[in-house]
Structure formats: C-alpha cells, structure tokens
Amino acid sequence: MARWSSVEELPADVQDELDEAVKRKFTTDALVELAASHGHTIARSSMGRWAKRRRDWHRVVEREKAVRGMAEAVDGQFGDENEKRNRMLLHLARNNLSIIAARMGGQEKLELGDAMGLIKALKDLVVADKIDAERERAIRLEQNQRAAKEAEGELRSRGATEETILAVKTKLLGLKA
C-alpha cells in the first residue's frame, strides 16, 4: 500500500483549504506556497502526488454524480424505489471499477489482494447485469402480454378478424403467434 502523505498530516482546516485550491486548479507550486502561508513546509513532489490523488478523487465524485443522473433517467421507468437504488449502486460500482482498472495500467501498483477483489467485483457485476437484464425482459414481456389481452378484447368487441388480431399481436406488440 502507498505510504501516508505528509499533506495528510496537516490540520484539517489547512487540508480543506488546499483541497479547495485543487478544485480551483492551483498549480503544485501555488499549493506548496499556500501550505507555507499556514506555516507548513511540504515538499513539492509530495504536494504534487497528493494533489493528483485529490484531482482523481474529485473526478470520481463528478463521474458518480453524472452516473447517478444517467441511472435515474434510464432506470426511472422500472421497479420500485429499492430497485432503482440498487440499479444506481450497480452503475456506480461499474464506474468505480472502470476507474480502478484504468489505474492498473498507470503508475500505481495494485496488490494481489486488490486485484483479486477487482476480479471478483467484476464477476459479481456481470452476474448482476444478467439478472437485471432478465428481470427487464420479464417486465417487458408481461407488459406486452397485458397489452395484447386488452387489445384483443377491444378488437373482438369491434368485430376484428382473427387475422387482424394476430397481426396486431405480432407486429405492433412484438409477441409471437
């Protein structure tokens, strides 16, 4: 695991101010000067590593907000509130795992236990996606069957032929004969 950063040993209020400066895209030198203005000497390399991790963290947070919005927009029509929350968590997990996987090719080293955890999490996501897709198919099929019954009843009451009823079921509702 990575060693503790000297920046993380600073008082919380100084860290918060540095974090805000990172959000405002201060340079590493400006961050070092900001820490110095509070009476703390931090090596430029240490500050640069810390700032990179904070920028990465802020990107993850922004991606999670975006994913949450997309998940709510796409998934809003299926299921109750618990199902929506579970789907959103699934989207967030997938997003975070993709970030971790991208870092594996970068400079950060991944411990064997972390890699095994990543593999297990990816497998679990695949299984969850499959279950999710099957549930969606079942919901759609049930909706189409209900619509077909209603349409058939309405068509029969208006004197439609069996051929017309079959055409409505197969072409418009996507059901097999």
Side-chain angles (χ1 to χ4, degrees):
M1 294 301 300
R3 65 178 202 121
W4 197 259
S5 169
S6 56
V7 178
E8 291 170 350
E9 295 172 0
L10 296 174
D13 61 324
V14 176
Q15 285 187 52
D16 290 344
E17 191 172 337
L18 287 168
D19 195 45
E20 285 302 315
V22 167
K23 287 179 187 175
R24 293 192 314 255
K25 301 184 181 187
F26 278 36
T27 65
T28 301
D29 291 327
L31 293 170
V32 169
E33 288 176 24
L34 181 59
S37 73
H38 288 282
H40 303 283
T41 304
I42 302 292
R44 185 178 189 285
S45 60
S46 180
M47 183 65 79
R49 284 189 302 273
W50 178 84
K52 180 184 181 318
R53 282 194 305 274
R54 294 307 301 163
R55 278 188 214 100
D56 288 346
W57 171 250
H58 292 301
R59 273 191 224 106
V60 167
V61 170
E62 288 304 311
R63 284 183 188 138
E64 286 181 2
K65 287 179 186 175
V67 168
R68 182 178 293 127
M70 287 185 289
E72 288 172 359
V74 170
D75 299 335
Q77 56 188 309
F78 293 106
D80 62 14
E81 287 305 311
N82 269 345
E83 289 173 336
K84 289 178 188 176
R85 187 172 29 260
N86 290 342
R87 285 187 129 190
M88 184 182 70
L89 289 173
L90 182 64
H91 287 293
L92 291 174
R94 184 180 300 110
N95 180 51
N96 287 336
L97 285 173
S98 66
I99 292 166
I100 292 168
R103 286 186 178 171
M104 287 174 65
Q107 296 176 355
E108 293 186 30
K109 291 186 179 178
L110 195 64
E111 300 291 327
L112 179 59
D114 295 337
M116 294 302 289
L118 176 61
I119 291 166
K120 183 186 179 318
L122 289 171
K123 178 192 151 273
D124 291 347
L125 278 175
V126 169
V127 170
D129 273 346
K130 182 179 180 216
I131 291 168
D132 211 31
E134 288 170 357
R135 186 180 61 80
E136 281 183 33
R137 275 193 294 276
I139 289 170
R140 286 192 182 110
L141 180 61
E142 183 182 331
Q143 288 172 339
N144 283 352
Q145 287 173 340
R146 223 178 297 136
K149 254 186 182 173
E150 289 177 23
E152 184 176 350
E154 185 64 28
L155 289 168
R156 284 193 193 286
S157 71
R158 295 179 183 255
T161 65
E162 288 298 319
E163 186 178 313
T164 303
I165 293 171
L166 184 60
V168 167
K169 284 181 172 180
T170 56
K171 290 183 182 173
L172 298 179
L173 299 173
L175 298 175
K176 294 183 179 167

